[in-house]
Amino acid sequence: MVAGCGGDTPSVLDPRSDDARRVEGMWWVLFWISCAVVAVVTGFLLAAARRRRAELHVDDQIDRRPVSWGDRFVVIAGAAVPGGILAGTFAFSLVVLNDMGSGDRNLEIEVEGHTWWWEVRYPNGAVTANEIRIPVGETVELALPTADVIHSFWVPELQVKKDHIPGADNRLSVVADHAGRFRGQCAEFCGLQHAHMEIMVEALPADEFDDWLQREAQPAPEPDGADAADGRRIFERASCAGCHTIRGTSAEGTLGPDLTHLANRETLGAGVVPFTPGALDDFITNPQDAKPGVSMPPTELTPDQVDAVVAYLTELE
Ligand code: CUA
């Protein structure tokens, strides 16, 4: 519970969008109704316990005939009232959900689920992974397809959960009302890496977002220096290129994340480690240590070759 109150912990009780505020409102209504139900039921329990104690102590004076309203009480308090509360809260949540996600979209971003990472594609050809940047105050529609797995996309400060389901055209619309970073997490068990399916949404002011998006759609920068140039050659010839794309090079694999601007990302493996040269080296050398269950095989490169590849990849801004 204490960890849940931490500043870095995203919460539906700390909404940063109109839709998230609706969810928060619904949460509080359900919370207070639950409190009232617990209070009433506890009251009845205590009354029953008292009555029982009275029976034990003054046995002869107790009237043991069943009360005439017993059956009616069970039907009303045990079925009608709970049924009414459940039907009422269900209708209430339908009305709230119906209100959400309205507004014309200004931008569509495709967020595709994979085992176990998220691919993020923009209409201008920019492709990234596990980090979504959006413009502040604009309605962004997230299309949520999936390649091979069911995830539940959840960024609590911005929106409700929505599942990635094979074959379904699920969408979620998101408006962040001020700039900032919002952490999300897969909310449905999807296998070994479920706990490490982090997604980061960053809302940027419009001009900053436009600059970022334009840069992100460019091909990868040319390597600077001999090490990085070696690294690029090795990357293109080794199995790396079979799974990863680096736009502007001959690496055009589509199984793993697009690495064209890898060095702009903050983490590796959907949040498992911060992006640093050391972490990248470890990830390439033995991916199963860094992210058990990941599809990436251990490298066949020598440590020197890995160093060169790391030198190249860390230049990809
Ligand atoms: Cu994806 Cu849990």
Side-chain angles (χ1 to χ4, degrees):
M1 280 173 72
V2 172
C5 298
D8 290 339
T9 310
S11 167
V12 287
L13 301 181
D14 188 17
R16 298 303 165 99
S17 74
D18 284 345
D19 283 346
R21 270 185 283 279
R22 292 189 175 102
V23 174
E24 187 205 19
M26 185 156 67
W27 193 94
W28 281 110
V29 169
L30 296 179
F31 176 77
W32 288 117
I33 290 176
S34 310
C35 288
V37 169
V38 169
V40 170
V41 171
T42 309
F44 280 127
L45 269 176
L46 291 177
R50 253 182 88 182
R51 193 182 143 101
R52 174 81 182 131
R53 200 150 18 131
E55 278 181 9
L56 290 173
H57 286 133
V58 278
D59 212 18
D60 324 312
Q61 292 158 28
I62 286 273
D63 180 0
R64 295 197 161 278
R65 284 170 306 166
V67 288
S68 61
W69 44 268
D71 287 351
R72 232 179 318 144
F73 179 78
V74 168
V75 170
I76 294 173
V81 171
I85 291 174
L86 290 176
T89 50
F90 178 59
F92 167 66
S93 47
L94 287 185
V95 169
V96 174
L97 288 174
N98 196 41
D99 263 2
M100 294 173 60
S102 43
D104 291 337
R105 68 182 159 98
N106 302 324
L107 172 68
E108 181 178 317
I109 304 173
E110 206 169 75
V111 182
E112 186 172 48
H114 292 267
T115 45
W116 283 275
W117 55 286
W118 321 83
E119 180 163 63
V120 185
R121 292 191 290 262
Y122 290 80
N124 71 342
V127 185
T128 177
N130 309 320
E131 294 172 13
I132 306 176
R133 292 195 168 71
I134 59 173
V136 173
E138 292 189 33
T139 306
V140 177
E141 187 164 86
L142 303 177
L144 303 173
T146 176
D148 51 7
V149 63
I150 295 176
H151 294 303
S152 185
F153 182 92
W154 190 33
V155 183
E157 288 155 313
L158 295 180
Q159 252 303 2
V160 291
K161 298 169 189 169
K162 183 81 87 163
D163 284 3
H164 295 250
I165 297 173
D169 180 26
N170 283 352
R171 282 157 188 278
L172 200 56
S173 100
V174 169
V175 189
D177 49 24
H178 51 267
R181 300 150 58 83
F182 312 103
R183 226 188 86 203
Q185 169 67 34
C186 176
E188 179 161 316
F189 182 70
C190 51
L192 267 182
Q193 280 296 313
H194 164 67
H196 293 140
M197 278 299 296
E198 191 176 302
I199 187 117
M200 196 269 291
V201 177
E202 185 174 21
L204 299 169
D207 47 345
E208 242 177 86
F209 172 78
D210 290 341
D211 288 351
W212 172 84
L213 185 59
Q214 227 198 343
R215 272 200 317 276
E216 207 69 15
Q218 302 294 318
E222 287 302 312
D224 182 19
D227 262 7
D230 267 357
R232 171 170 158 171
R233 255 192 313 277
I234 294 164
F235 190 97
E236 287 178 305
R237 286 182 196 156
S239 57
C240 316
C243 294
H244 295 282
T245 290
I246 296 180
R247 280 171 276 133
T249 75
S250 65
E252 290 175 340
T254 54
L255 268 179
D258 182 304
L259 304 180
T260 308
H261 297 287
L262 177 67
N264 291 340
R265 293 186 205 151
E266 291 172 14
T267 68
L268 286 170
V272 286
V273 276
F275 180 91
T276 62
L280 185 56
D281 197 308
D282 291 345
F283 202 107
I284 296 171
T285 307
N286 198 349
Q288 297 300 325
D289 271 359
K291 195 171 166 83
V294 68
S295 310
M296 184 165 159
T299 188
E300 80 261 17
L301 303 177
T302 65
D304 284 348
Q305 288 176 315
V306 173
D307 285 348
V309 169
V310 170
Y312 174 53
L313 294 178
T314 47
E315 277 186 5
L316 298 180
E317 291 190 352

